[in-house]
Structure formats: C-alpha cells, structure tokens
Amino acid sequence: MSKEQLHQIVEALQPELKKLSDYLYDNPELGLKEFKSSKAHVEFLRKHGFKVEYPYLDFETAFRATFDSGKPGPTVAYLSEYDALPEIGHGCGHNMLGTVDTGAGIALSKVLSETGGRVVVLGTPAEETDGIKVDMAKADTFDDIDVAICSHPSDKNEVSGDSLAMDAIKFEFFGKTAHAAGAPWEGKNALDAVINLFNGINAMRQQMKPTARVHGIISDGGLAANVIPDYTAAEFYVRAPKKAEKEALLERVIACAQAAAQAAGCTMKHSFYEKSYDDMVTNQVLSRLFNQNALDLGVEMIENEGDTIGSLDTGNVSQVVPAIHPYYDITEGKPLAKHTVEFRDCTKTDFGYQAMYRTVEILARTGYDVLADTDKLQAIKVEFDETFSR
Ligand SMILES: [Zn+2]
Ligand SMILES: [Zn+2]
C-alpha cells in the first residue's frame, strides 16, 4: 500500500462518484431540506464501511461518518456540502462539492490500515443560508479532529484563501398608521425610518474601508400608499475581512438604524436572521500540502486574485481546527460566476467529471500526508496555535 495506490482506488470509485453527483444534480434541495441528498451520501459511506451518525446534532440532514483503522493516529475530516439554490438548483455546484469530499473520505479509508488513525466525513447542511458548520464549530464536533478539508468547484484552480466575516442583520421599525391624505400629521412613518437607514449607511460608505461590504433590501415597505406605514423592515449583510473589524462596522450600522428611527419618531428593533460567519483562516502548511499533491497530479494552483468576495461557514471551522478550502476548475478556465445556470451545468461535462475525480485523489493524498507524516501534522498545529494565540 502506498499513496500512489490512491489513484487506482479513486479510479475504481469513478462510476459511484459520477452517479452521486448526477443524482444530486437531478434532485436539488434547499438548505436543511436536503433529505434525499444527505441520504444518498450516507448510503454511499455505509456501503464503504463507515459508521454513520445520522441525523447529527439534531439536524435531520446532517451526518457524521467515521472510518476507524483501530490503530492510533490523527483524524482527518472532510466537509461535505449538498444544498442547492432556489430556482437554479445546484448553481453553486454543491452536487459535485459533496461528492468530492465524501469520495475523498472513502478513498482515504481504503489505505487507513497502513497509516492508522481515522477519517471523518461530515455532512454539513445549508451552506448557502444558515450554515450548520457554525453549529458544529460551536459544539464538540472538531474536538477530536486534527485537520478539516473542504474544496469547492470553481472556474480556476485557486489556493485556499480567506473569506469575509459576516453578519445577517434585520431591522424593524415601528410607527403609527394614519390616513396619508386626511391626517398624515397624526402618523409616525416607519417608511421614513427605513429610508433614513439606507441614506445613513450610504453616507457612511465614504468612511468605510474598501474591503468592507454592507448591502441590504427593504423586505417590508408598507402595505398601501394611502396609509402611513406603521411597520417596515430591512435586511442587511455586513461583511469585513476580519471578525473584529466586522464587529466594529456592525456597531456603526446599528447606530445608523437607531438614528433613523429617532428622526422618524419611530422605535427600532434588530435581530440576526441568519448565523454569523467568521472569516476563513487558511492553514498555510496544510494548504501547501494540498498544492503539492495537486502539482503532482499536474494541477497548478494559482494565488487568489483581487479581493475576497464572499463568506463561508468553513470560516467558523477554520477558527477551531486547522483547515483549508481550495478551489478546482470545472469550467476549463472559462470565467464563470457561481450561482448561475452555466456554472451548474459545468458539473455535467467531461471536463467537470475529470476535475472531480482528480480532486478526490488530491484530497485523499493530502489526508494521507497528514496521517502518515507526524512532522507535517506537528507543523500544521504549530502554525494554528501561533495564529490564534496572537
Ligand atoms: Zn458554494
Ligand atoms: Zn454558493
């Protein structure tokens, strides 16, 4: 047995990998409703000898699958996602994402008798909305895990980078109704409050760092033009490269909402309508292992270009355990945004399938390195401790 044998192992898994990715493509399910999708992953893992807790942490579509060599050693975890988007199905390619990470866990399990240790595949629902990785990072899920790996389909082979810390905040304004023509002076206009909020935030942009993002919608703007609205609501995402910076920005946004309410004679309440995502902190030692394994299979990983644009729930994981989140090209390098029909359909092309098989092998090889080389794992841990003791 050796690392090279992973090639034959993945080759043998190819029909099952393709079947799983295609099945999910044909059966897209929204976050926390991934019943068929999670079941298909669990069946695949059980078939290959994994012990599976399903449901996991009280989430019906989450699971934790373990393959234990029975010999001492580290634990490598792969994070599987399988949620889709409204209307366009797997526009983010999570049909392939989950297949790759589950497949890597299965491939690695086949050489575990040689390396010792354990491999865990975590089924992590609702990445697009209310990421369950956030709950897993808060619970004891990663206490006995040494590294966590997730990889995402993309339009380039890009190294694991960073992602924005994010809050999803909702503001509600409460006023008083009045006839908008008959006696408007008797009203307290909650629509004015929400418009003030947008104007306040827009004025603040000049004093915001260019890397920060605040973007929102009016989710409730009143019911009829002849009634002064007594209730309005707006939803915002507030993002910044680091958690502390995001917290400071959030305080300023809340202050804008307070002032907006006051100016309109209304009251205001805020709440968080989705979970907060922490920024992604890539473990560079682990990332270099992945990049080298990619290169060994002929894939050159490129550095991130430009600013970080999105937020990931793997960010929260990366704050409790050494983690990476690299990207692999499924579009033949053609620039294509995620969350589109075009990107979705790249998961059904020959090029996409080849990228899928290759990435399964790269991920499994990276896991192998962690299990087989104690010095490498030690270096990963030293970096993690140094990063978070600062
Ligand atoms: Zn995604
Ligand atoms: Zn997405």
Side-chain angles (χ1 to χ4, degrees), residues 49-97:
F50 278 71
K51 293 214 163 45
V52 189
E53 285 173 68
Y54 175 56
Y56 177 63
L57 288 185
D58 289 336
F59 296 105
E60 268 190 272
T61 59
F63 64 82
R64 181 187 170 111
T66 306
F67 193 100
D68 197 333
S69 68
K71 296 182 204 166
T75 303
V76 171
Y78 295 99
L79 312 179
S80 203
E81 297 170 8
Y82 31 73
D83 59 325
L85 296 160
E87 307 291 333
I88 58 169
H90 276 294
C92 208
H94 293 181
N95 55 322
M96 188 170 270
L97 189 161

Side-chain angles (χ1 to χ4, degrees), residues 81 92 94 97 127-128 152 338-339:
E81 297 170 8
C92 208
H94 293 181
L97 189 161
E127 199 283 329
E128 297 289 359
H152 201 299
K338 297 181 188 80
H339 292 205

Side-chain angles (χ1 to χ4, degrees), residues 190-258:
L191 182 62
D192 284 344
V194 79
I195 291 170
N196 291 344
L197 170 61
F198 276 82
N199 289 335
I201 288 171
N202 286 340
M204 190 180 79
R205 292 188 195 280
Q206 193 187 6
Q207 278 70 49
M208 263 167 53
K209 286 197 177 158
T211 45
R213 296 286 183 273
V214 180
H215 45 104
I217 56 160
I218 296 178
S219 50
D220 205 320
L223 293 169
N226 61 358
V227 179
I228 301 289
D230 67 342
Y231 176 81
T232 55
E235 292 180 354
F236 282 89
Y237 287 103
V238 177
R239 309 186 202 233
K242 294 284 166 204
K243 201 173 165 180
E245 205 182 321
K246 184 255 315 175
E247 295 291 323
L249 183 60
L250 183 71
E251 261 180 54
R252 293 167 65 194
V253 171
I254 294 172
C256 285
Q258 283 161 340

Side-chain angles (χ1 to χ4, degrees), residues 29 35 57 191 234 358:
E29 296 171 302
F35 300 108
L57 288 185
L191 182 62
R358 203 182 309 115

